Amino acid sequence: MHFDFTDDQREIKRTARELLAARSSLERVRAIAEGDGAYDAALWEELVGLGWTGIALPEEHGGVGLGVLELAIVLEELGYAATPSRFLSNALAAQLIVGAGSDEQCARLLHGIAAGAQTGTVAFARDGVAELVPDADSARWIVLVEGGGAGPAARLYDAATGELRIDPRETIDPTRRYARVTVADAAAGEPLEGDVAGGLDRAEVVLAAELTGLAQRALELTVAYVKERRQFGTPIGAFQAVSHRAAQMLLETEGARSAVWFAAWAADAEPVSLSRAASIAKAAAADAGRHVTAAAIQLHGGIGFTWEADVHWLYKRAQLDAALLAPAAWHRRRIARLAAAGVSGGEHPAAPAGGAAPARASEPPATPAGAG
């Protein structure tokens, strides 16, 4: 059994790391966040030109024809750089449409998504209202998912038709744009009647990959700092309390990465294992993203709490990422139910009750309705 990336996958990772180091440095992230929040159009064109917006989409729909694992590699690097971009939201929508869309819908929608011309986004909604929708103000296609007794139901909306009210929202994360989306007409939109739960699982894996990248960058910045910062002539990293905290950061980051890579592999090669693997990945990555970035601020000491310290961009992004789609607590309950039932597949949550409010993103998200 092979437990490493292929040469092509390693090349994707290397290319992404080098490109984003040059085009999306933390200085550039800061400039965008402190400016008007507009994304870097030139960087988007480069990502599209590399084929990454369609990397996990079928070739017959304008994609590259690779898998979720390759997409997860790219998303981990985008998280590592905290890149301000609509790439994540577009990838989430693409994975849900691939899983739940009809042949006609896939043929109609995915070419534009793969080409980066007509982007999409996805979020949970409750009674026609989604409280936290990434990049809704620039998306052409918005997929809203609501729960029910028979499982999650997804509807596709064309933002150009006026079927939705889109109200931009300020959040703690100024590196990404968010909005509150309200359905104006209950009869609007069109259903995605395929495997909605499977599409959501693929989207959760993609989201977990970005969270893992955020944790990795926070870990690296912190290790570099505690090696350099000295007290009483000794690097603070040599103190037991600091080194133990850093070791816990490493443990959570590597645990999340292993879970994400397995889930991405399962999405491509062993779909029967995807439900449990996706829940393990999202729960581990959400916890790692929030805990590791918070620990990074603590271990930076007083400087870590200042606006000038770059670690807060990672912390803020991780809080919002963890609030998107289903919360970690729901995924842990799902893992327990699947283990008790002795199965690997199954279900996905209804919409979080009331939605996850951006202002309270650092608190535990509301329990998904009907997911108890």
Side-chain angles (χ1 to χ4, degrees), residues 177-197:
R177 304 169 69 91
Y178 298 89
R180 184 176 192 264
V181 173
T182 305
V183 178
D185 180 359
E190 57 183 288
L192 298 177
E193 297 180 338
D195 183 9
V196 176

Side-chain angles (χ1 to χ4, degrees), residues 42-123:
L43 175 59
W44 178 254
E45 292 303 318
E46 286 193 69
L47 298 178
V48 171
L50 287 166
W52 290 348
T53 47
I55 196 169
L57 297 179
E59 291 181 85
E60 61 267 28
H61 298 313
V64 177
L66 298 179
V68 175
L69 182 53
E70 286 78 13
L71 177 59
I73 290 171
V74 173
L75 258 300
E76 184 177 334
E77 292 304 319
L78 286 163
Y80 182 88
T83 301
S85 171
R86 49 185 174 159
F87 191 98
L88 174 69
S89 56
N90 194 49
L92 297 179
Q95 291 308 304
L96 184 50
I97 291 169
V98 166
S102 66
D103 291 343
E104 184 277 330
Q105 288 168 329
C106 288
R108 173 161 49 93
L109 305 174
L110 293 181
H111 278 84
I113 288 175
Q118 296 182 342
T119 58
T121 189
V122 60

Side-chain angles (χ1 to χ4, degrees), residues 6 27 65 90 104 117 131-132 137 168 187 226 319 332 361-362:
T6 65
E27 290 79 8
N90 194 49
E104 184 277 330
E131 296 289 352
L132 190 65
D137 60 345
V226 300
Q319 305 312 302
R332 284 191 287 269
S362 61

Side-chain angles (χ1 to χ4, degrees), residues 165-248:
R165 176 178 172 180
I166 300 173
D167 299 307
R169 300 195 67 173
E170 290 189 9
T171 72
I172 61 170
D173 177 20
T175 68
R176 179 171 285 147
R177 304 169 69 91
Y178 298 89
R180 184 176 192 264
V181 173
T182 305
V183 178
D185 180 359
E190 57 183 288
L192 298 177
E193 297 180 338
D195 183 9
V196 176
L200 286 169
D201 283 333
R202 293 163 67 96
E204 295 278 25
V205 175
V206 169
L207 179 56
E210 178 169 280
L211 279 158
T212 302
L214 292 165
Q216 180 65 40
R217 186 63 173 278
L219 171 63
E220 291 182 12
L221 289 174
T222 302
V223 169
Y225 179 79
V226 300
K227 286 180 177 179
E228 177 182 302
R229 178 74 169 90
R230 305 177 77 87
Q231 284 186 350
F232 311 111
T234 302
I236 62 172
F239 299 143
Q240 191 173 67
V242 173
S243 60
H244 283 187
R245 191 73 178 271
Q248 182 64 29

Side-chain angles (χ1 to χ4, degrees), residues 68 197-198 200-209 212 255-286 328 330-332 334-336 338-339 343-348:
V68 175
L200 286 169
D201 283 333
R202 293 163 67 96
E204 295 278 25
V205 175
V206 169
L207 179 56
T212 302
R257 176 174 292 110
S258 296
V260 168
W261 286 352
F262 174 75
W265 171 85
D268 296 329
E270 193 176 273
V272 68
S273 301
L274 177 58
S275 293
R276 183 181 297 176
S279 281
I280 293 172
K282 176 60 180 298
W330 183 89
H331 282 290
R332 284 191 287 269
R334 182 200 202 190
I335 294 164
L338 291 173
V343 297
S344 300
E347 50 183 315
H348 212 276

